Amino acid sequence: ALCTTNLTTPTIKKPSSYFDAVTYTGTGASNSISSLGFSPDLIWIKNRGGATSHALYDTVRGVQAQLSSDTTGAEATSSTGLTAFGSNGFTIGTSTLVNTSGTQYVAWAWDEAPIAGMDIVSYTGNGATQNVSHALGVTPKMVIVKNRDTAATPWNVYHSGLTAGNLLSLNQTSAQFANTNRITAVSSSNFSVGSDGDVNQSTKNHIAYLFAEIEGFSKFGSYTGNGSTDGPFVYCGFRPRWVMIKRSDSTGTWFLIDTSRNPSNIATIYLQADSSAIEGSDNVFDIL
């Protein structure tokens, strides 16, 4: 019978306790965003109406430590960016990346928790090879690594949907490329990095964001396009709050779509992880 007693109890009963997408209007002064249902550990912010870089902050690197997904730049210290992590949100300063007066912004926030399949790991490179431990307890489906200290180093992305032995770069539109001495293996306890300076430069600090698949909460995979206005159906098992898509076999941008900016279908509003461009609009897909 179709009744709740016959449905599997989800691991996460309230997804917004571990991830959420929020929009807000900049004030040009210190501003507290307090609408989250948890204390965030990773916050990704983008100015929707201005051509400014993305701004990523996390509790492992600490407040004011800023990275941008659309650049190869080293970590910057921004006293006017994110100024505090809160119990139900965060506080921002006057930086144009996060808080220009009257400008619309979106923030995506994650709780670092094994139950939600998310871990943040900082490590020091050794210039050779090394295993970096994580706390997920299962093999991650996606690993994003950035050299924090050295400029002109790209973001490296391992994803289970790619051809074995290949990676993508979060700051580039290029197709998947051969994974030579970068993220060489993943397991339930660690991931391995080779000697490439992008992921393991000697004495330099690196940050890794790891994501595992949690049934009913997160999904990682791939699909084949059909070039039709009636495109393929991609099953997730839940209605996604946030979707990131990249064409893997050819040049293509990283589309970022969420139901905070697209509360109804067709979902047309998108941003691009690899670009500082303002918010775009197109008939992207239906979020079901």
Side-chain angles (χ1 to χ4, degrees), residues 15-22 35-38 107-110 241-242 260:
S16 60
S17 295
Y18 296 94
F19 171 82
D20 210 351
V22 296
S35 57
L36 297 177
F38 58 96
W108 306 299
W110 288 261
R241 180 67 163 158
W242 181 80
S260 180

Side-chain angles (χ1 to χ4, degrees), residues 117-142:
M118 199 273 166
D119 197 15
I120 305 171
V121 178
S122 180
Y123 64 95
T124 303
N126 64 10
T129 60
Q130 66 170 312
N131 294 327
V132 182
S133 298
H134 64 75
L136 292 177
V138 296
T139 302
K141 293 286 189 177
M142 182 168 70

Side-chain angles (χ1 to χ4, degrees), residues 29 34 61 70 72 84-85 131 169 191 212 232 245 251 260 277 288:
S34 56
R61 293 180 296 123
D70 56 295
T72 60
F85 293 93
N131 294 327
S169 180
F191 64 96
I245 293 178
T251 300
S260 180
L288 307 172

Side-chain angles (χ1 to χ4, degrees), residues 260-285:
S260 180
R261 292 175 299 137
N262 292 280
S264 59
N265 289 319
I266 302 171
T268 60
I269 300 171
Y270 66 88
L271 287 163
Q272 302 164 82
D274 55 274
S275 173
S276 63
I278 64 172
E279 194 170 70
S281 180
D282 200 350
N283 290 337
V284 186
F285 48 63

Side-chain angles (χ1 to χ4, degrees), residues 103-160:
T103 298
Q104 298 299 308
Y105 290 85
V106 63
W108 306 299
W110 288 261
D111 183 17
E112 181 191 21
I115 190 176
M118 199 273 166
D119 197 15
I120 305 171
V121 178
S122 180
Y123 64 95
T124 303
N126 64 10
T129 60
Q130 66 170 312
N131 294 327
V132 182
S133 298
H134 64 75
L136 292 177
V138 296
T139 302
K141 293 286 189 177
M142 182 168 70
V143 181
I144 303 174
V145 176
K146 179 70 177 74
N147 184 326
R148 298 168 56 186
D149 295 340
T150 303
T153 54
W155 293 75
N156 286 267
V157 181
Y158 161 86
H159 192 284
S160 60

Side-chain angles (χ1 to χ4, degrees), residues 27-52:
T27 63
S30 181
N31 188 10
S32 269
I33 310 301
S34 56
S35 57
L36 297 177
F38 58 96
S39 179
D41 292 297
L42 170 61
I43 300 171
W44 184 342
I45 300 174
K46 179 64 176 79
N47 183 332
R48 300 170 59 185
T52 60

